[in-house]
Amino acid sequence: MAALGKGCPMASAFIAGVLSLILQSASIGTDYWVNSDYDIIENVNALSFNGSEISDLPMLIQHAGLWRVCEFDANATYWDRSADKPIITCDKMDFTGPEGALSYHKVIFYCGFMSACSSCICIILQIFGVLSGVQAAWQMKASLYTDCGLMFSFAGIFDALVVSLYIVSILYRLNERPLHLVPYPAGYQKTVYFGWSFYCNAIAFLCCSFSGTLYLLIARHWRKQEIYNPSNDTKDKTDPKFTYRRSIVSIPKL
């Protein structure tokens, strides 16, 4: 830390923190956490189901994020044979609560809900971390660098929760569908993959963790300097003679 000087670690920590905030904002605000390149036109039109069975086909994810999901409407696509493109419906995530839903839908709901809530907490911590980083660079105080490190470190923890819960939500939705529900079309699960929004969030987690760790190391280094290499003002205040002299003066006269 001393060999690199003070400017390089501080600049690296601040740039990593700002980059994590930008990537986190981009990932939360977009709907490409998961994508599917399933050919709904070819596969649905080739089905030999009758009308009643077709009406029960599940909605298939085309792309989705934390707050919105766009799905293939397989039923409408089947009946509208003249359509050159699949019919896609986009709706906001329903976070009102899965009342009366199956345990399968409850697991998907709560994982998605906790992932979205964790993303909000994460971005709030990152915003305050960046603001504290600007203040720390201006005032050069070890306590402010400690605050920055803690904010970005906790933001990294919540970011890890976002990624983990979202992975659980998607994998459970695709692979644990109950047998009494209409299954997904054959081969659909293999066409689902994580998109660029998901990877932006993963990179934001790495930048956030790096920034928090580096800020804490800077604070530790500066704190050690304050203890073992105090400034002249600090030396005067901790000088035994100075303390003794003040203590004598402060004794009230009888």
Side-chain angles (χ1 to χ4, degrees):
M1 186 74 68
L4 293 175
K6 296 180 179 179
C8 184
M10 287 190 297
S12 300
F14 183 75
I15 292 173
V18 172
L19 184 60
S20 71
L21 176 60
I22 294 173
L23 292 173
Q24 185 76 16
S25 302
S27 66
I28 290 177
T30 51
D31 305 325
Y32 297 93
W33 282 62
V34 64
N35 298 327
S36 173
D37 53 9
Y38 185 72
D39 192 343
I40 191 72
I41 294 289
E42 178 181 352
N43 288 279
V44 171
N45 287 345
L47 295 175
S48 58
F49 298 140
N50 59 39
S52 60
E53 290 173 330
I54 282 293
S55 64
D56 292 333
L57 283 177
M59 300 291 283
L60 308 178
I61 294 178
Q62 199 267 343
H63 63 85
L66 292 177
W67 308 101
R68 196 174 71 140
V69 58
C70 294
E71 298 172 310
F72 294 119
D73 193 338
N75 306 307
T77 302
Y78 178 82
W79 292 113
D80 188 4
R81 299 300 185 88
S82 62
D84 296 330
K85 296 181 180 180
I87 298 176
I88 299 174
T89 59
C90 296
D91 296 308
K92 295 180 180 179
M93 290 288 190
D94 184 13
F95 292 133
T96 57
E99 296 182 2
L102 300 171
S103 58
Y104 167 75
H105 296 109
K106 288 182 179 179
V107 171
I108 297 173
F109 165 79
Y110 286 117
C111 287
F113 179 74
M114 292 304 298
S115 179
C117 291
S118 299
S119 68
C120 294
I121 298 174
C122 175
I123 200 168
I124 290 172
L125 288 171
Q126 287 174 324
I127 291 172
F128 281 105
V130 170
L131 294 177
S132 298
V134 174
Q135 185 180 5
W138 180 263
Q139 296 185 3
M140 296 293 184
K141 290 184 178 181
S143 59
L144 291 175
Y145 285 108
T146 303
D147 294 341
C148 293
L150 292 175
M151 288 181 188
F152 280 113
S153 297
F154 280 110
I157 294 173
F158 280 101
D159 207 354
L161 280 176
V162 174
V163 174
S164 302
L165 290 171
Y166 195 82
I167 291 175
V168 171
S169 174
I170 293 299
L171 294 182
Y172 190 84
R173 178 172 184 163
L174 295 176
N175 301 319
E176 301 297 332
R177 189 172 178 83
L179 296 177
H180 63 276
L181 295 179
V182 179
Y184 290 117
Y188 168 70
Q189 289 93 332
K190 296 181 180 179
T191 65
V192 179
Y193 58 94
F194 292 105
W196 63 268
S197 298
F198 175 84
Y199 292 109
C200 279
N201 194 85
I203 297 173
F205 162 72
L206 297 177
C207 293
C208 199
S209 302
F210 172 78
S211 178
T213 303
L214 194 54
Y215 268 128
L216 290 176
L217 290 175
I218 293 172
R220 179 176 178 271
H221 176 70
W222 280 36
R223 184 58 181 164
K224 287 175 65 177
Q225 281 191 334
E226 291 176 357
I227 294 174
Y228 296 108
N229 299 306
S231 61
N232 293 330
D233 296 338
T234 308
K235 287 181 179 179
D236 292 339
K237 293 180 181 179
T238 57
D239 189 2
K241 296 180 180 178
F242 181 79
T243 306
Y244 177 72
R245 187 163 54 248
R246 286 194 59 183
S247 63
I248 292 176
V249 173
S250 62
I251 295 175
K253 294 182 181 181
L254 300 177

